[in-house]
Each structure stands twice: as structure tokens, then as C-alpha cells.
Amino acid sequence: SFGHSVFFGGTAYVCAVLPTKYQLPAPVVTLLGGFVGLAVATLFSLLSIRTKGIYFVMLTLTLGQVGYFLALALPSLTGGENGLSGVVRPDVTFLDWKLADLQAPGAFLAYCALALLVSFAFVERLSRSPLGSVLNAIRMNEKRSEALGYSLGGYRLVAFALSGFITGIAGSLYASFLRFVPLNVVDIETAEELVIMAIIGGLRTTMGPVIGATSARNS
């Protein structure tokens, strides 16, 4: 999919604007980013899950470019070519009681590490669930899975939406990390980087994308 840059960048914009206007705690902003990514991914999947191979690639690429030009055409919301500056990094609070100050780089990186561990545990548990078994069966042999009575379109939609949820979490953390959202978060280069991260680490293990992301950032 070359449309994940829209989930990533779109969520970064949303999670940059809301904490500035409303004093939301960091966990709420992170989860909100996940659900924004899930909603956008669901919309994308309704348009793209019926296609396969190069047609799927081209369609998600086109939808990704639509997202890019929307961000470029709405400078009042996204900052346009100049990006969105003045992003507020929220803290971990509960009932106006500050539990953790994320303004320090070390504290924020620890929070990102915790988000990574929770996301990793979620994906690992999902891969071992009945849903994960069906998704794996569809990946291995679509025709046989369909013959067994599984709805390929429905399961593809769920998989795409869940990937959007995780990408949205990453986008929300990215906005807080930079305290700035550049326009290139929704461009084709970001989409390519996300695909490369997954391919380098390996597509069939939970740890693969983590290794791929580390390798891509260090290269």
C-alpha cells in the first residue's frame, strides 16, 4: 500500500491541532491518532480492497496523492508548504494531575517505547488469534480460503483498518516528537519509506517492521 502516508500524515496534522486547542493528555492524543488512522484506512479500503497486485498499488498511490494535494491546498489547516508549527507536546495527566512530564526528550522517548511495546503486543496477540489465523490462510491461498466460506473482502477491510490504526498511532507520536508537521509527511517519499521498512525487516513476522524501521533510520 502506498496510501499509508495519508494515515500517517493526516493523523499527525489532527494530533498537532487538537492538543493546541484542547488540553488533552498524551494517551488520549495517541489513541485518538489511532482511531483517526483507522477511520481513514477504512475509507481507503472501501475503494481499494477489490483490486489486487499492480492495480492495488496504483490505486493506493493515487489516493495518497489526493491526500497530499489536499494538505497542500488547505494551508489554513495544514500550513501548506511551510508545514504546521507550534505543535504542543502533551503530558501524561489524569484529572489535572501530571503523572509524567514528556517535555524532556528522555521521558518522551520512554513514552514512545511504551507505545511501541503495547502496539507490538497487540499485533503479536492478533497474529495468534482466530482472526490472525484466517488472515494468514488468506495470504497463503486466497482461493482455498474463499472456498471454505471466508469473506475475503471483509477480512481485507479489517486488516487494512488495523494497519491504519497502528500507522495513526505512529503519526500522532511523530507530530509530538518533532513539534512540527512538515508537508512531506503525506508525500510519496513517506509512503515509499513505510513500504521499504516493512520489506527490509520481513513481512511475515511481528518483529520484521521494527527491524526494518531501525535499519531504514540508521541507513
Side-chain angles (χ1 to χ4, degrees):
S1 168
F2 283 90
H4 276 60
S5 58
V6 177
F7 316 153
F8 183 80
T11 299
Y13 282 122
V14 172
C15 292
V17 172
L18 290 183
T20 304
K21 294 185 177 181
Y22 309 100
Q23 295 182 346
L24 300 176
V28 172
V29 175
T30 303
L31 284 175
L32 178 63
F35 284 111
V36 170
L38 185 148
V40 179
T42 301
L43 178 61
F44 268 46
S45 66
L46 293 175
L47 301 173
S48 61
I49 58 174
R50 292 180 178 84
T51 59
K52 297 180 182 180
I54 188 63
Y55 303 105
F56 177 81
V57 171
M58 296 303 297
L59 183 55
T60 56
L61 178 62
T62 301
L63 292 173
Q65 288 299 99
V66 169
Y68 171 79
F69 284 110
L70 279 176
L72 186 63
L74 299 173
S76 60
L77 298 176
T78 65
E81 293 182 346
N82 297 322
L84 192 62
S85 58
V87 178
V88 176
R89 181 183 293 175
D91 295 315
V92 180
T93 59
F94 180 72
L95 298 177
D96 296 329
W97 183 32
K98 185 182 292 186
L99 301 178
D101 184 358
L102 300 186
Q103 306 309 311
F108 182 72
L109 290 178
Y111 177 76
C112 291
L114 178 61
L116 171 63
L117 289 175
V118 173
S119 300
F120 184 88
F122 170 73
V123 175
E124 186 67 18
R125 179 65 184 88
L126 178 66
S127 66
R128 300 176 185 273
S129 68
L131 173 60
S133 298
V134 174
L135 292 176
N136 187 51
I138 293 174
R139 177 182 60 80
M140 295 177 65
N141 194 316
E142 289 189 359
K143 292 183 178 180
R144 185 170 296 178
S145 300
E146 189 173 20
L148 291 174
Y150 294 112
S151 172
L152 301 188
Y155 282 102
R156 284 189 187 128
L157 190 151
V158 171
F160 207 74
L162 289 175
S163 71
F165 178 79
I166 296 173
T167 308
I169 290 177
S172 69
L173 294 174
Y174 188 74
S176 295
F177 172 69
L178 289 183
R179 303 194 191 198
F180 172 73
V181 183
L183 179 62
N184 65 5
V185 294
V186 289
D187 67 5
I188 181 61
E189 292 183 5
T190 298
E192 291 174 351
E193 188 173 3
L194 294 174
V195 172
I196 291 171
M197 286 178 182
I199 293 175
I200 289 177
L203 300 174
R204 300 186 181 184
T205 64
T206 309
M207 182 59 72
V210 179
I211 297 174
T214 305
S215 303
R217 283 301 177 183
N218 290 334
S219 61

